[in-house]
Amino acid sequence: MKSEIILYDNYYLYLEAFPCFLDKNGFTEMYDYKSTVEFSEIENLVSEDSSVVIMNIAAVSINDAMEVVEKLLSLNEHLKIMILSPNAEVRNIKKFFDKGVKSFLTKHTHGHEFLNALKEVMDGKVYISEETKNSLYNFICNIDDQQDKKANGIEDLTSREIDVLHQICEGLRSKEIAERLFISKHTVESHRRNIMMKLDVHNSSMLVKFAMDNRLVN
């Protein structure tokens, strides 16, 4: 018995064209096709013979799509799910992969890339386009940067403390900072102590170095 490819799109025309495209590229001998234009019907098509589900979620909310992904994998844990979507928000793409999706393709995907993705997925691999891969990399790096900043105390600084820090990095003394910011010298010293405590540094030289290393000043 052949394995099954399940297709979902909200247009009949696309569903009729998709098998033709796959047949033209040699999938007829290995796979049977099931298809539906009703998103709620996808899970009813899943059986133990189902191998791949290809869903165009252009007309579906992200939350609904993720919920269906979970249901499909609960019905067949070996199912390989490919998502086609015009919504390329990286946060959502990451969530889909976390849910168990094997490939996420955007509106920029052409036929040749889709076939490569399908073949990779059928071989049990995850396919990520260069566009998606770079976006995910940048997203993860940004998250790491935010976590680092939070961990080292930068986010705990108040706007006034940042103002004082900038003046310290310019080499100004507490009296000069007080005059420039129209506050008392005592307040400047209080800000300086708070900054050092929050950033866990112990002298002005370390404070300036920390600010430069973390690009808090130019």
Side-chain angles (χ1 to χ4, degrees):
M1 183 177 292
K2 295 181 181 179
S3 294
E4 298 169 345
I5 294 178
I6 298 173
L7 305 170
Y8 164 74
D9 199 293
N10 65 324
Y11 285 99
Y12 278 112
L13 182 60
Y14 293 163
L15 287 182
E16 291 177 352
F18 222 130
C20 295
F21 173 71
L22 294 176
D23 288 347
K24 181 180 177 182
N25 288 278
F27 288 90
T28 307
E29 297 179 359
M30 299 179 291
Y31 295 91
D32 288 326
Y33 307 124
K34 290 181 178 179
S35 62
T36 181
V37 292
E38 299 296 335
F39 190 69
S40 60
E41 293 295 316
I42 301 175
E43 59 189 277
N44 295 333
L45 302 181
V46 174
S47 70
E48 61 181 13
D49 296 320
S50 302
S51 179
V52 180
V53 175
I54 302 170
M55 299 192 300
N56 181 354
I57 62 169
V60 179
S61 75
I62 296 297
N63 288 336
D64 286 345
M66 290 187 184
E67 185 177 336
V68 165
V69 167
E70 289 183 343
K71 287 181 180 178
L72 298 182
L73 291 174
S74 69
L75 294 171
N76 183 341
E77 63 180 353
H78 302 295
L79 202 59
K80 303 173 182 67
I81 301 175
M82 300 178 67
I83 299 291
L84 309 178
S85 175
N87 184 340
E89 185 177 343
V90 183
R91 190 180 302 273
N92 290 329
I93 295 174
K94 183 178 182 300
K95 287 180 180 178
F96 275 115
F97 281 114
D98 289 342
K99 294 287 185 184
V101 164
K102 298 301 182 184
S103 182
F104 189 102
L105 302 174
T106 70
K107 62 183 179 181
H108 301 296
T109 302
H110 48 72
H112 180 68
E113 182 178 23
F114 172 79
L115 292 173
N116 284 340
L118 182 55
K119 290 173 182 175
E120 290 284 298
V121 167
M122 287 176 168
D123 286 340
K125 302 174 184 177
V126 172
Y127 181 87
I128 305 177
S129 67
E130 284 300 315
E131 176 189 9
T132 304
K133 189 184 299 181
N134 291 334
S135 297
L136 284 170
Y137 176 79
N138 291 331
F139 173 79
I140 293 170
C141 287
N142 287 336
I143 291 294
D144 289 342
D145 287 344
Q146 292 300 318
Q147 290 176 339
D148 288 344
K149 287 183 178 180
K150 187 172 183 180
N152 62 30
I154 292 173
E155 289 190 350
D156 293 331
L157 297 179
T158 66
S159 58
R160 178 55 84 183
E161 287 169 348
I162 292 174
D163 289 339
V164 171
L165 178 58
H166 284 183
Q167 308 306 314
I168 294 172
C169 291
E170 287 184 20
L172 300 182
R173 297 180 181 275
S174 294
K175 182 180 180 181
E176 295 170 317
I177 296 173
E179 292 173 352
R180 180 174 290 190
L181 298 181
F182 304 103
I183 56 179
S184 70
K185 180 180 176 182
H186 173 76
T187 300
V188 173
E189 294 292 348
S190 177
H191 284 317
R192 186 192 295 266
R193 286 194 299 272
N194 288 337
I195 294 168
M196 288 184 175
M197 180 177 66
K198 290 178 180 179
L199 301 182
D200 193 26
V201 297
H202 308 294
N203 56 54
S204 295
S205 297
M206 291 176 63
L207 186 58
V208 172
K209 183 177 185 305
F210 181 96
M212 294 181 66
D213 289 345
N214 288 275
R215 300 179 181 178
L216 297 178
V217 294
N218 296 324

